């Protein structure tokens, strides 16, 4: 489904963020990307969303070199994935409900469907009562759950989650993790970038460890070792 | 693009405008100032044109005839002059009328009046004259030449030669017109640049929002649409604000200006400054400026 072919990313200021990555991700996988701060986890996810492009090498999603997709067609790629950003990225002038609905409105879904789905997903992340709240009226954990709800709302075939439990207590974090596992069980490919070792160790799925931009281990039923 | 998408773009435009209230207010105010400046300049230009025209209208050529030239001949000359295309009007002032005018002018000086009244109608020393108005100051000289020609010259006693005045007046009008055009262009350009930068700043403030929209799968046009709507709103509200400011001023100041400058302010209509037309122009200009500024500003952040 996703194929990294010798991918290197050097930022314009000269920082080498990723080096010579060869990764193959098959549909339905649950992959944890681990590594210490600055290892390149977020950079890897940003290359998949086409927020940025590799300096060398190429990334293929369903056999398409995504760097070659024209700017005006990128939204088709992004509608196939859901992304939980490390810095959350909610629209400040939209309520929780509207933030989630936005991801559904972009492809012209009918209002009735949007109302139903957003209500469902808000219940799933336990935020029914905060539907009309604006981001600056929400706690860090609540914002994060809105972001997760937005990433899931349009039922993507690929879910990218960058530190999705960073602002949550361990009970909430476990709940979110269970949610991700459930989504994965329904067929969605999940890529999780995280520091949280107890989460990764609980999942018992494939773990890719990064260090200074290089893959240092890639094991099918891995543990968090770094 | 289907109707639900169009509706959502409109809705998002309204949300953007209302929820970024202070930014919208700033952009709207600058829009109003821009439109106010441009329309004031246009009105000032029209008023100047009218005043200059009024002054030009007042400049006439007076041809005084020798005493004893029969009225029939003068009338004949009047008809002849009247048929020139450059001539706007020719007024015949018989000597009797000239005397009355003189008496009117000096009604507070009984000694003068008395001396004038000594003459009978036949002996009236006031010459009959033709007051000729030309359409354009440029034709002034041509008319004088006609009366200096051999066939008319014998009848003519005197032609008031206001060439100096006319010459100076023409120079002043030309200068005023040129300065007016330069000032209009300069200040219009200035306010348009300020407007463009204000809108750019309001959008710069929201560049992250644009990125987020892109990242959650919105197409370029779905993002651009609401910003376009916002720009149109700036234009509409700016035009309404300008009209609310400008029309009372015109209403109260107009008549006073009319009497002060001795011009007919209703003539503004001849210059396309009809109230509704002006409002239409304000709306049109505002909408176009707002939409173009928005589109140019938002384009920069659609790269991700
Ligand atoms: N836009 C950028 N410009 C320049 N350098 C960058 C940029 N973004 C990230 N970097 C650098 O690239 C390296 C990898 O950053 P990245 O954000 O991928 O790390 P990370 O593994 O996600 O870290 P964390 O766990 O703290 O989120 C770091 O050295 C970082 O400073
Ligand atoms: Mg990161």
């Amino acid at each position: 489904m996703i194929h990294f072919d010798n991918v290197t990313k050097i930022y314009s200021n000269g920082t080498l963020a990723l080096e010579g990555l060869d990764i193959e991700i098959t549909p339905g996988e649950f992959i944890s990307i681990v590594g210490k701060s600055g290892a390149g986890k977020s950079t890897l996810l940003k290359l998949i969303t086409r927020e940025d492009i590799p300096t060398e090498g190429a990334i293929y999603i369903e056999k398409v070199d995504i760097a070659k997709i024209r700017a005006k067609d990128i939204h088709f790629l992004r509608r196939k994935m859901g992304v939980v950003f490390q810095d959350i990225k909610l629209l400040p002038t939209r309520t929780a409900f509207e933030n989630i609905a936005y991801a559904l409105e972009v492809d012209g879904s009918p209002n009735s469907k949007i109302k139903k789905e957003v209500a469902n997903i808000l219940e799933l992340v336990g935020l029914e009562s905060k539907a009309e709240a604006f981001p600056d009226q929400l706690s860090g954990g609540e914002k994060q759950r809105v972001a997760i709800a937005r990433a899931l709302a349009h039922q993507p075939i690929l879910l990218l989650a960058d530190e999705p439990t960073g602002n949550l207590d361990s009970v909430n974090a476990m709940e979110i993790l269970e949610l991700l596992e459930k989504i994965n069980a329904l067929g969605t490919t999940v890529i999780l970038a995280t520091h949280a070792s107890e989460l990764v160790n609980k999942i018992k799925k494939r773990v890719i460890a990064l260090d200074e931009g290089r893959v240092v281990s890639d094991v099918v039923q891995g543990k968090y070792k770094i | 693009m289907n109707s639900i998408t169009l509706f959502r773009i409109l809705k998002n435009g309204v949300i953007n405008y209302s929820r970024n209230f202070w930014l919208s207010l700033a952009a709207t105010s600058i829009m109003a100032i821009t439109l106010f400046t441009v329309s004031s300049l246009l009105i000032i230009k029209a008023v100047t044109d009218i005043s200059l025209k009024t002054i030009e209208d007042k400049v006439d050529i007076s041809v005084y005839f020798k005493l004893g030239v029969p009225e029939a001949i003068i009338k004949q000359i009047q008809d002849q002059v009247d048929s020139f295309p450059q001539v706007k009007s020719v007024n015949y002032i018989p000597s009797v009328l000239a005397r009355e005018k003189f008496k009117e002018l000096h009604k507070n000086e009984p000694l003068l009046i008395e001396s004038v009244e000594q003459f009978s109608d036949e002996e009236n020393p006031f010459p009959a004259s033709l007051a000729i108005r030309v359409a354009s100051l440029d034709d002034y000289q041509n008319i004088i030449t006609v009366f200096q020609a051999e066939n008319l010259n014998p009848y003519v006693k005197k032609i008031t030669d206001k060439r100096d005045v006319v010459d100076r007046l023409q120079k002043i009008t030309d200068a005023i017109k040129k300065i007016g055009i330069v000032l209009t262009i300069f200040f219009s350009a200035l306010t348009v640049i300020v407007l463009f930068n204000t809108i750019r700043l309001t959008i710069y403030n929201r560049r992250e929002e644009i990125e987020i929209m892109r990242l959650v799968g919105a197409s370029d046009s779905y993002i651009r649409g609401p910003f376009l709507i916002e720009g149109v709103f700036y234009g509409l509200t700016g035009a309404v604000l300008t009209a609310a400011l400008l029309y009372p001023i015109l209403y109260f100041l107009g008549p006073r200006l009319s009497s002060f400058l001795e011009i007919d302010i209703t003539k503004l209509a001849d210059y396309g400054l009809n109230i509704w037309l002006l409002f239409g122009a304000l709306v049109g200009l505002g909408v176009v400026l707002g939409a173009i500024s928005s589109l140019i500003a938002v384009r920069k952040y659609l790269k991700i």
Side-chain angles (χ1 to χ4, degrees):
Chain A
M1 181 190 199
I2 305 176
H3 175 64
F4 276 66
D5 181 17
N6 194 25
V7 170
T8 293
K9 175 66 190 174
I10 302 169
Y11 282 109
S12 54
N13 64 0
T15 309
L16 176 66
L18 293 174
E19 196 180 1
L21 258 55
D22 284 302
I23 302 173
E24 182 73 43
I25 297 167
T26 53
E29 268 195 291
F30 192 123
I31 299 178
S32 303
I33 313 269
V34 300
K36 55 179 191 267
S37 183
K41 305 182 292 294
S42 296
T43 304
L44 190 151
L45 296 187
K46 276 180 189 158
L47 294 182
I48 298 176
T49 58
R50 248 298 298 263
E51 215 180 312
D52 215 329
I53 52 172
T55 316
E56 273 170 48
I59 297 169
Y60 299 88
I61 297 184
E62 287 171 339
K63 307 250 184 309
V64 178
D65 179 353
I66 59 169
K68 297 222 168 80
I69 300 175
R70 281 177 301 178
K72 68 175 187 46
D73 294 325
I74 294 172
H75 60 277
F76 293 118
L77 173 73
R78 294 190 177 137
R79 285 177 194 172
K80 288 186 189 161
M81 39 178 118
V83 189
V84 185
F85 303 95
Q86 187 170 14
D87 55 355
I88 298 175
K89 292 195 197 293
L90 294 177
L91 296 169
T93 59
R94 310 295 156 117
T95 63
F97 185 98
E98 287 168 341
N99 261 288
I100 300 166
Y102 194 88
L104 290 164
E105 286 170 357
V106 291
D107 67 355
S109 306
N111 284 331
S112 53
K113 181 184 159 199
I114 292 179
K115 254 203 178 121
K116 218 177 72 206
E117 306 242 317
V118 176
N120 280 343
I121 198 94
L122 274 171
E123 200 190 318
L124 197 67
V125 296
L127 281 178
E128 309 98 301
S129 62
K130 300 286 183 182
E132 299 310 317
F134 287 92
D136 60 6
Q137 300 168 331
L138 295 171
S139 74
E142 285 166 344
K143 272 187 257 202
Q144 202 143 29
R145 280 184 279 159
V146 174
I148 292 166
R150 177 181 60 188
L152 297 176
H154 58 296
Q155 296 166 358
I157 56 167
L158 172 65
L159 183 71
L160 307 175
D162 196 350
E163 216 65 74
T165 58
N167 286 309
L168 302 179
D169 55 51
S170 58
V171 177
N172 261 315
M174 274 306 159
E175 273 174 26
I176 294 302
L177 187 70
E178 276 159 21
L179 186 62
L180 296 183
E181 288 186 298
K182 201 156 41 170
I183 306 268
N184 177 243
L186 292 173
T188 302
T189 310
V190 177
I191 303 178
L192 168 71
T194 187
H195 286 123
S197 49
E198 71 275 22
L199 291 187
V200 177
N201 293 342
K202 184 178 167 284
I203 303 167
K204 299 194 180 66
K205 296 254 168 84
R206 182 174 169 192
V207 176
I208 297 175
L210 291 180
D211 189 33
E212 293 187 351
R214 266 169 306 202
V215 175
V216 289
S217 85
D218 184 348
V219 262
V220 177
Q221 279 209 352
K223 288 212 166 233
Y224 191 103
K225 281 185 301 201
I226 291 168
Chain B
M1 200 175 285
N2 55 18
S3 59
I4 185 88
T5 303
L6 268 178
F7 172 77
R8 279 174 188 160
I9 285 176
L10 200 67
K11 190 189 77 181
N12 281 323
V14 175
I15 289 179
N16 283 356
Y17 187 88
S18 55
R19 294 197 190 160
N20 294 290
F21 181 74
W22 292 106
L23 284 179
S24 304
L25 190 68
T28 303
S29 311
I30 299 290
M31 173 68 82
I33 290 172
T34 304
L35 294 178
F36 189 81
T37 309
V38 172
S39 46
S40 301
L41 288 169
L42 287 179
I43 289 170
I44 290 171
K45 188 178 169 336
V47 169
T48 318
D49 283 356
I50 296 174
S51 340
L52 292 177
K53 199 87 197 109
T54 313
I55 296 170
E56 281 186 8
D57 278 352
K58 284 186 184 150
V59 177
D60 57 6
I61 303 165
S62 293
V63 179
Y64 296 94
F65 292 90
K66 287 177 179 156
L67 291 174
V69 175
E71 191 172 313
I73 288 185
I74 298 178
K75 287 266 190 192
Q76 205 186 322
I77 296 171
Q78 180 186 13
D79 287 346
Q80 199 185 328
V81 173
D82 211 5
S83 68
F84 296 157
Q86 310 100 307
V87 171
K88 239 165 79 176
S89 69
V90 185
N91 254 336
Y92 172 49
I93 300 157
S95 50
V96 186
L97 197 63
R99 188 174 60 180
E100 293 311 311
K101 276 191 170 179
F102 181 87
K103 275 158 75 177
E104 175 68 26
L105 205 63
H106 300 279
K107 62 174 177 279
N108 297 328
E109 294 158 84
L111 223 68
L112 270 178
I113 305 276
E114 208 178 309
S115 62
V116 168
E117 274 173 347
Q118 282 176 352
F119 298 99
S120 71
D121 278 359
E122 283 75 38
E123 306 165 324
N124 185 353
F126 289 92
S129 64
L130 286 179
I132 305 165
R133 289 201 172 147
V134 287
S136 155
L137 289 179
D138 301 327
D139 300 321
Y140 197 91
Q141 185 53 41
N142 293 339
I143 301 299
I144 291 176
T145 319
V146 168
F147 285 97
Q148 286 168 336
E150 261 173 68
N151 60 333
L152 290 183
N153 201 29
Y155 303 120
V156 175
K157 185 181 168 202
K158 187 179 112 190
I159 301 172
T160 47
D161 195 350
K162 295 181 196 155
R163 254 178 293 180
D164 265 10
V165 184
V166 172
D167 224 37
R168 244 180 301 156
L169 191 66
Q170 253 180 337
K171 278 192 186 127
I172 293 170
T173 26
D174 282 354
I176 290 177
K177 278 180 185 163
K178 271 182 203 143
I179 292 170
I181 290 171
V182 171
L183 283 183
T184 306
I185 291 174
F186 178 74
F187 280 106
S188 302
L190 204 68
T191 48
V192 166
I193 289 169
V194 172
L195 172 73
F196 174 70
N197 273 302
T198 308
I199 292 182
R200 226 178 50 151
L201 276 177
T202 70
I203 290 178
Y204 172 82
N205 249 298
R206 282 146 52 199
R207 64 198 180 284
E208 263 195 49
E209 280 183 63
I210 297 174
E211 281 180 26
I212 296 170
M213 290 168 176
R214 280 294 276 158
L215 288 173
V216 300
S219 64
D220 278 4
S221 54
Y222 193 76
I223 296 172
R224 214 185 291 127
F227 282 99
L228 183 70
I229 304 281
E230 257 187 275
V232 169
F233 275 169
Y234 295 151
L236 288 178
T237 46
V240 171
L241 216 63
T242 306
L245 212 61
L246 191 64
Y247 288 170
I249 292 178
L250 280 185
Y251 183 79
F252 287 113
L253 220 58
R256 251 153 267 196
L257 204 66
S258 287
S259 57
F260 177 69
L261 292 173
E262 294 181 26
I263 60 167
D264 184 1
I265 202 94
T266 56
K267 271 195 193 157
L268 278 173
D270 300 344
Y271 289 76
L273 278 176
N274 166 288
I275 291 282
W276 288 109
L277 211 68
L278 183 63
F279 185 64
L282 284 178
V283 169
L285 185 66
V287 165
V288 169
L289 283 179
I292 291 179
S293 310
S294 278
L295 283 185
I296 293 177
V298 84
R299 212 178 55 169
K300 209 174 140 191
Y301 304 111
L302 284 175
K303 299 228 167 88
I304 280 198

